[in-house]
mmCIF file of all heavy atoms in Angstrom:
data_model
loop_
_atom_site.group_PDB
_atom_site.id
_atom_site.type_symbol
_atom_site.label_atom_id
_atom_site.label_comp_id
_atom_site.label_asym_id
_atom_site.label_seq_id
_atom_site.Cartn_x
_atom_site.Cartn_y
_atom_site.Cartn_z
ATOM 1 N N ILE H 28 200.025 153.247 -96.226
ATOM 2 C CA ILE H 28 200.190 154.339 -97.192
ATOM 3 C C ILE H 28 200.079 155.699 -96.499
ATOM 4 O O ILE H 28 200.886 156.606 -96.729
ATOM 5 C CB ILE H 28 199.147 154.201 -98.317
ATOM 6 C CG1 ILE H 28 199.439 152.961 -99.172
ATOM 7 C CG2 ILE H 28 199.139 155.447 -99.197
ATOM 8 C CD1 ILE H 28 198.365 152.684 -100.190
ATOM 9 N N ILE H 29 199.082 155.843 -95.619
ATOM 10 C CA ILE H 29 198.915 157.108 -94.904
ATOM 11 C C ILE H 29 200.111 157.378 -93.996
ATOM 12 O O ILE H 29 200.611 158.515 -93.900
ATOM 13 C CB ILE H 29 197.605 157.085 -94.109
ATOM 14 C CG1 ILE H 29 196.408 156.986 -95.067
ATOM 15 C CG2 ILE H 29 197.473 158.329 -93.232
ATOM 16 C CD1 ILE H 29 195.074 156.847 -94.366
ATOM 17 N N ALA H 30 200.604 156.341 -93.333
ATOM 18 C CA ALA H 30 201.767 156.513 -92.456
ATOM 19 C C ALA H 30 203.010 156.887 -93.249
ATOM 20 O O ALA H 30 203.802 157.744 -92.818
ATOM 21 C CB ALA H 30 202.015 155.230 -91.662
ATOM 22 N N ALA H 31 203.189 156.268 -94.426
ATOM 23 C CA ALA H 31 204.352 156.608 -95.247
ATOM 24 C C ALA H 31 204.286 158.049 -95.735
ATOM 25 O O ALA H 31 205.298 158.764 -95.741
ATOM 26 C CB ALA H 31 204.437 155.645 -96.439
ATOM 27 N N ILE H 32 203.100 158.507 -96.115
ATOM 28 C CA ILE H 32 202.958 159.901 -96.554
ATOM 29 C C ILE H 32 203.204 160.859 -95.398
ATOM 30 O O ILE H 32 203.869 161.896 -95.540
ATOM 31 C CB ILE H 32 201.567 160.117 -97.167
ATOM 32 C CG1 ILE H 32 201.416 159.288 -98.440
ATOM 33 C CG2 ILE H 32 201.333 161.593 -97.472
ATOM 34 C CD1 ILE H 32 200.025 159.340 -99.036
ATOM 35 N N ALA H 33 202.684 160.519 -94.220
ATOM 36 C CA ALA H 33 202.870 161.394 -93.059
ATOM 37 C C ALA H 33 204.322 161.456 -92.610
ATOM 38 O O ALA H 33 204.802 162.499 -92.161
ATOM 39 C CB ALA H 33 201.991 160.910 -91.907
ATOM 40 N N LEU H 34 205.049 160.351 -92.742
ATOM 41 C CA LEU H 34 206.445 160.339 -92.313
ATOM 42 C C LEU H 34 207.364 161.040 -93.297
ATOM 43 O O LEU H 34 208.375 161.640 -92.919
ATOM 44 C CB LEU H 34 206.916 158.894 -92.108
ATOM 45 C CG LEU H 34 206.296 158.159 -90.910
ATOM 46 C CD1 LEU H 34 206.757 156.711 -90.892
ATOM 47 C CD2 LEU H 34 206.655 158.845 -89.604
ATOM 48 N N THR H 35 207.046 160.955 -94.571
ATOM 49 C CA THR H 35 207.930 161.531 -95.592
ATOM 50 C C THR H 35 207.565 162.956 -95.987
ATOM 51 O O THR H 35 208.358 163.610 -96.658
ATOM 52 C CB THR H 35 207.924 160.651 -96.846
ATOM 53 O OG1 THR H 35 206.565 160.520 -97.343
ATOM 54 C CG2 THR H 35 208.473 159.270 -96.536
ATOM 55 N N HIS H 36 206.389 163.424 -95.601
ATOM 56 C CA HIS H 36 205.979 164.778 -95.996
ATOM 57 C C HIS H 36 206.662 165.802 -95.105
ATOM 58 O O HIS H 36 206.506 165.797 -93.880
ATOM 59 C CB HIS H 36 204.462 164.922 -95.893
ATOM 60 C CG HIS H 36 203.982 166.270 -96.315
ATOM 61 N ND1 HIS H 36 204.016 166.711 -97.626
ATOM 62 C CD2 HIS H 36 203.450 167.307 -95.601
ATOM 63 C CE1 HIS H 36 203.548 167.937 -97.699
ATOM 64 N NE2 HIS H 36 203.194 168.322 -96.487
ATOM 65 N N ARG H 37 207.437 166.635 -95.698
ATOM 66 C CA ARG H 37 208.126 167.708 -94.991
ATOM 67 C C ARG H 37 207.929 169.018 -95.763
ATOM 68 O O ARG H 37 207.947 169.027 -97.001
ATOM 69 C CB ARG H 37 209.623 167.412 -94.863
ATOM 70 C CG ARG H 37 209.956 166.188 -94.033
ATOM 71 C CD ARG H 37 209.666 166.415 -92.557
ATOM 72 N NE ARG H 37 210.090 165.302 -91.739
ATOM 73 C CZ ARG H 37 209.353 164.237 -91.490
ATOM 74 N NH1 ARG H 37 208.149 164.135 -92.029
ATOM 75 N NH2 ARG H 37 209.812 163.263 -90.715
ATOM 76 N N ARG H 38 207.762 170.089 -95.022
ATOM 77 C CA ARG H 38 207.631 171.399 -95.653
ATOM 78 C C ARG H 38 209.019 171.925 -95.994
ATOM 79 O O ARG H 38 209.863 172.109 -95.112
ATOM 80 C CB ARG H 38 206.913 172.377 -94.725
ATOM 81 C CG ARG H 38 206.678 173.751 -95.359
ATOM 82 C CD ARG H 38 205.936 174.622 -94.396
ATOM 83 N NE ARG H 38 204.615 174.101 -94.120
ATOM 84 C CZ ARG H 38 203.543 174.332 -94.887
ATOM 85 N NH1 ARG H 38 203.666 175.055 -95.997
ATOM 86 N NH2 ARG H 38 202.368 173.830 -94.558
ATOM 87 N N ARG H 39 209.263 172.139 -97.263
ATOM 88 C CA ARG H 39 210.552 172.622 -97.716
ATOM 89 C C ARG H 39 210.665 174.122 -97.494
ATOM 90 O O ARG H 39 209.768 174.891 -97.828
ATOM 91 C CB ARG H 39 210.750 172.292 -99.191
ATOM 92 C CG ARG H 39 210.787 170.815 -99.517
ATOM 93 C CD ARG H 39 211.025 170.568 -100.983
ATOM 94 N NE ARG H 39 212.227 171.238 -101.437
ATOM 95 C CZ ARG H 39 212.640 171.232 -102.717
ATOM 96 N NH1 ARG H 39 211.938 170.599 -103.634
ATOM 97 N NH2 ARG H 39 213.735 171.862 -103.055
ATOM 98 N N LYS H 40 211.802 174.518 -96.923
ATOM 99 C CA LYS H 40 212.018 175.932 -96.659
ATOM 100 C C LYS H 40 212.490 176.693 -97.891
ATOM 101 O O LYS H 40 212.316 177.909 -97.968
ATOM 102 C CB LYS H 40 213.046 176.082 -95.543
ATOM 103 C CG LYS H 40 212.595 175.488 -94.214
ATOM 104 C CD LYS H 40 213.649 175.683 -93.132
ATOM 105 C CE LYS H 40 213.189 175.109 -91.803
ATOM 106 N NZ LYS H 40 214.211 175.282 -90.735
ATOM 107 N N ASP H 41 213.119 175.984 -98.842
ATOM 108 C CA ASP H 41 213.627 176.661 -100.028
ATOM 109 C C ASP H 41 212.589 176.760 -101.136
ATOM 110 O O ASP H 41 212.863 177.359 -102.182
ATOM 111 C CB ASP H 41 214.870 175.937 -100.552
ATOM 112 C CG ASP H 41 214.590 174.474 -100.858
ATOM 113 O OD1 ASP H 41 213.549 173.958 -100.398
ATOM 114 O OD2 ASP H 41 215.408 173.849 -101.561
ATOM 115 N N ALA H 42 211.419 176.182 -100.948
ATOM 116 C CA ALA H 42 210.388 176.229 -101.978
ATOM 117 C C ALA H 42 209.579 177.519 -101.852
ATOM 118 O O ALA H 42 209.221 177.940 -100.746
ATOM 119 C CB ALA H 42 209.469 175.014 -101.868
ATOM 120 N N LYS H 43 209.307 178.140 -102.970
ATOM 121 C CA LYS H 43 208.539 179.371 -103.009
ATOM 122 C C LYS H 43 207.115 179.059 -103.442
ATOM 123 O O LYS H 43 206.897 178.406 -104.459
ATOM 124 C CB LYS H 43 209.167 180.377 -103.970
ATOM 125 C CG LYS H 43 210.566 180.835 -103.554
ATOM 126 C CD LYS H 43 211.118 181.856 -104.531
ATOM 127 C CE LYS H 43 212.492 182.335 -104.102
ATOM 128 N NZ LYS H 43 213.056 183.330 -105.054
ATOM 129 N N SER H 44 206.171 179.539 -102.652
ATOM 130 C CA SER H 44 204.761 179.292 -102.957
ATOM 131 C C SER H 44 203.940 180.508 -102.555
ATOM 132 O O SER H 44 204.419 181.391 -101.831
ATOM 133 C CB SER H 44 204.253 178.045 -102.223
ATOM 134 O OG SER H 44 204.379 178.207 -100.822
ATOM 135 N N GLN H 45 202.726 180.557 -103.014
ATOM 136 C CA GLN H 45 201.813 181.656 -102.727
ATOM 137 C C GLN H 45 200.640 181.140 -101.907
ATOM 138 O O GLN H 45 200.171 180.011 -102.104
ATOM 139 C CB GLN H 45 201.296 182.286 -104.022
ATOM 140 C CG GLN H 45 202.384 182.935 -104.862
ATOM 141 C CD GLN H 45 201.834 183.535 -106.125
ATOM 142 O OE1 GLN H 45 200.658 183.392 -106.432
ATOM 143 N NE2 GLN H 45 202.678 184.222 -106.862
ATOM 144 N N ASN H 46 200.182 181.995 -101.002
ATOM 145 C CA ASN H 46 199.021 181.686 -100.177
ATOM 146 C C ASN H 46 197.854 182.549 -100.657
ATOM 147 O O ASN H 46 197.824 183.764 -100.428
ATOM 148 C CB ASN H 46 199.322 181.966 -98.705
ATOM 149 C CG ASN H 46 198.254 181.391 -97.794
ATOM 150 O OD1 ASN H 46 197.190 180.960 -98.253
ATOM 151 N ND2 ASN H 46 198.530 181.391 -96.492
ATOM 152 N N PRO H 47 196.875 181.972 -101.334
ATOM 153 C CA PRO H 47 195.754 182.787 -101.840
ATOM 154 C C PRO H 47 194.973 183.484 -100.743
ATOM 155 O O PRO H 47 194.452 184.579 -100.953
ATOM 156 C CB PRO H 47 194.890 181.747 -102.575
ATOM 157 C CG PRO H 47 195.832 180.632 -102.913
ATOM 158 C CD PRO H 47 196.800 180.574 -101.779
ATOM 159 N N ALA H 48 194.870 182.860 -99.560
ATOM 160 C CA ALA H 48 194.118 183.495 -98.471
ATOM 161 C C ALA H 48 194.780 184.790 -98.022
ATOM 162 O O ALA H 48 194.108 185.808 -97.786
ATOM 163 C CB ALA H 48 193.998 182.521 -97.288
ATOM 164 N N GLN H 49 196.087 184.800 -97.914
ATOM 165 C CA GLN H 49 196.789 186.028 -97.546
ATOM 166 C C GLN H 49 196.749 187.055 -98.663
ATOM 167 O O GLN H 49 196.717 188.266 -98.392
ATOM 168 C CB GLN H 49 198.242 185.699 -97.195
ATOM 169 C CG GLN H 49 198.392 184.846 -95.942
ATOM 170 C CD GLN H 49 199.838 184.574 -95.621
ATOM 171 O OE1 GLN H 49 200.733 184.979 -96.357
ATOM 172 N NE2 GLN H 49 200.086 183.858 -94.514
ATOM 173 N N GLN H 50 196.736 186.637 -99.896
ATOM 174 C CA GLN H 50 196.637 187.588 -101.002
ATOM 175 C C GLN H 50 195.276 188.278 -101.033
ATOM 176 O O GLN H 50 195.170 189.446 -101.401
ATOM 177 C CB GLN H 50 196.887 186.870 -102.325
ATOM 178 C CG GLN H 50 198.319 186.397 -102.497
ATOM 179 C CD GLN H 50 198.517 185.690 -103.819
ATOM 180 O OE1 GLN H 50 197.567 185.284 -104.472
ATOM 181 N NE2 GLN H 50 199.771 185.538 -104.214
ATOM 182 N N ILE H 51 194.227 187.580 -100.651
ATOM 183 C CA ILE H 51 192.895 188.186 -100.640
ATOM 184 C C ILE H 51 192.758 189.192 -99.499
ATOM 185 O O ILE H 51 192.126 190.245 -99.633
ATOM 186 C CB ILE H 51 191.825 187.081 -100.539
ATOM 187 C CG1 ILE H 51 191.844 186.215 -101.811
ATOM 188 C CG2 ILE H 51 190.436 187.681 -100.331
ATOM 189 C CD1 ILE H 51 190.916 185.030 -101.750
ATOM 190 N N LYS H 52 193.369 188.894 -98.365
ATOM 191 C CA LYS H 52 193.258 189.756 -97.189
ATOM 192 C C LYS H 52 194.180 190.978 -97.237
ATOM 193 O O LYS H 52 194.132 191.808 -96.326
ATOM 194 C CB LYS H 52 193.572 188.955 -95.930
ATOM 195 C CG LYS H 52 192.579 187.845 -95.648
ATOM 196 C CD LYS H 52 192.985 187.066 -94.397
ATOM 197 C CE LYS H 52 192.007 185.938 -94.124
ATOM 198 N NZ LYS H 52 192.395 185.154 -92.920
ATOM 199 N N VAL H 53 195.009 191.109 -98.255
ATOM 200 C CA VAL H 53 195.958 192.206 -98.287
ATOM 201 C C VAL H 53 195.227 193.542 -98.494
ATOM 202 O O VAL H 53 194.163 193.604 -99.123
ATOM 203 C CB VAL H 53 196.990 191.959 -99.408
ATOM 204 C CG1 VAL H 53 196.360 192.151 -100.777
ATOM 205 C CG2 VAL H 53 198.196 192.863 -99.233
ATOM 206 N N ARG H 54 195.780 194.637 -97.941
ATOM 207 C CA ARG H 54 195.214 195.966 -98.069
ATOM 208 C C ARG H 54 196.084 196.844 -98.970
ATOM 209 O O ARG H 54 197.218 196.486 -99.279
ATOM 210 C CB ARG H 54 195.072 196.619 -96.679
ATOM 211 C CG ARG H 54 194.074 195.911 -95.778
ATOM 212 C CD ARG H 54 194.021 196.555 -94.401
ATOM 213 N NE ARG H 54 195.322 196.495 -93.750
ATOM 214 C CZ ARG H 54 195.579 197.046 -92.562
ATOM 215 N NH1 ARG H 54 194.615 197.715 -91.925
ATOM 216 N NH2 ARG H 54 196.784 196.945 -92.029
ATOM 217 N N ARG H 55 195.523 197.997 -99.334
ATOM 218 C CA ARG H 55 196.250 198.868 -100.243
ATOM 219 C C ARG H 55 197.499 199.425 -99.585
ATOM 220 O O ARG H 55 198.526 199.582 -100.227
ATOM 221 C CB ARG H 55 195.341 200.019 -100.695
ATOM 222 C CG ARG H 55 196.002 200.959 -101.700
ATOM 223 C CD ARG H 55 195.021 202.034 -102.121
ATOM 224 N NE ARG H 55 194.662 202.857 -100.984
ATOM 225 C CZ ARG H 55 195.361 203.946 -100.586
ATOM 226 N NH1 ARG H 55 196.454 204.303 -101.254
ATOM 227 N NH2 ARG H 55 194.973 204.667 -99.562
ATOM 228 N N GLU H 56 197.453 199.687 -98.288
ATOM 229 C CA GLU H 56 198.620 200.236 -97.602
ATOM 230 C C GLU H 56 199.786 199.241 -97.572
ATOM 231 O O GLU H 56 200.954 199.635 -97.467
ATOM 232 C CB GLU H 56 198.251 200.648 -96.174
ATOM 233 C CG GLU H 56 197.291 201.820 -96.080
ATOM 234 C CD GLU H 56 195.864 201.396 -96.357
ATOM 235 O OE1 GLU H 56 195.640 200.171 -96.487
ATOM 236 O OE2 GLU H 56 194.977 202.269 -96.449
ATOM 237 N N GLU H 57 199.476 197.963 -97.652
ATOM 238 C CA GLU H 57 200.529 196.959 -97.627
ATOM 239 C C GLU H 57 201.137 196.717 -99.008
ATOM 240 O O GLU H 57 202.214 196.133 -99.107
ATOM 241 C CB GLU H 57 199.969 195.643 -97.080
ATOM 242 C CG GLU H 57 199.461 195.753 -95.652
ATOM 243 C CD GLU H 57 198.825 194.455 -95.184
ATOM 244 O OE1 GLU H 57 198.720 193.526 -96.017
ATOM 245 O OE2 GLU H 57 198.431 194.369 -94.003
ATOM 246 N N ARG H 58 200.442 197.145 -100.039
ATOM 247 C CA ARG H 58 200.920 196.923 -101.400
ATOM 248 C C ARG H 58 201.727 198.099 -101.943
ATOM 249 O O ARG H 58 202.741 197.915 -102.591
ATOM 250 C CB ARG H 58 199.726 196.666 -102.332
ATOM 251 C CG ARG H 58 199.052 195.336 -102.147
ATOM 252 C CD ARG H 58 199.871 194.219 -102.716
ATOM 253 N NE ARG H 58 199.170 192.942 -102.686
ATOM 254 C CZ ARG H 58 199.665 191.826 -103.220
ATOM 255 N NH1 ARG H 58 200.840 191.852 -103.807
ATOM 256 N NH2 ARG H 58 198.981 190.706 -103.153
ATOM 257 N N VAL H 59 201.234 199.312 -101.689
ATOM 258 C CA VAL H 59 201.830 200.523 -102.257
ATOM 259 C C VAL H 59 202.362 201.385 -101.121
ATOM 260 O O VAL H 59 201.659 201.611 -100.122
ATOM 261 C CB VAL H 59 200.812 201.313 -103.102
ATOM 262 C CG1 VAL H 59 201.462 202.547 -103.690
ATOM 263 C CG2 VAL H 59 200.247 200.419 -104.206
ATOM 264 N N ARG H 60 203.562 201.880 -101.262
ATOM 265 C CA ARG H 60 204.164 202.784 -100.277
ATOM 266 C C ARG H 60 204.671 204.028 -100.999
ATOM 267 O O ARG H 60 205.472 203.922 -101.933
ATOM 268 C CB ARG H 60 205.302 202.084 -99.538
ATOM 269 C CG ARG H 60 205.869 202.942 -98.423
ATOM 270 C CD ARG H 60 206.910 202.164 -97.632
ATOM 271 N NE ARG H 60 208.019 201.775 -98.489
ATOM 272 C CZ ARG H 60 209.109 201.125 -98.058
ATOM 273 N NH1 ARG H 60 209.189 200.780 -96.773
ATOM 274 N NH2 ARG H 60 210.074 200.794 -98.890
ATOM 275 N N LEU H 61 204.171 205.180 -100.589
ATOM 276 C CA LEU H 61 204.564 206.452 -101.183
ATOM 277 C C LEU H 61 205.757 207.015 -100.421
ATOM 278 O O LEU H 61 205.717 207.149 -99.189
ATOM 279 C CB LEU H 61 203.404 207.437 -101.140
ATOM 280 C CG LEU H 61 202.135 206.999 -101.890
ATOM 281 C CD1 LEU H 61 201.041 208.046 -101.726
ATOM 282 C CD2 LEU H 61 202.446 206.750 -103.366
#
């Protein structure tokens, strides 16, 4: 079962997802541009 999951698991390039760790580390200068 573990081998089947490891062989078939691929990261899709067309899928859109969010990374909470990067969202927490973001600064104000990166969000707003005057």
Side-chain angles (χ1 to χ4, degrees):
I28 292 173
I29 296 175
I32 295 174
L34 291 175
T35 57
H36 181 69
R37 296 290 185 273
R38 183 178 296 276
R39 297 182 55 183
K40 297 181 179 180
D41 57 344
K43 297 181 179 180
S44 60
Q45 296 180 355
N46 192 349
Q49 294 181 357
Q50 292 180 343
I51 294 175
K52 295 178 181 179
V53 72
R54 295 177 300 176
R55 182 178 64 87
E56 293 78 7
E57 298 176 356
R58 288 285 187 175
V59 181
R60 185 175 61 177
L61 300 178

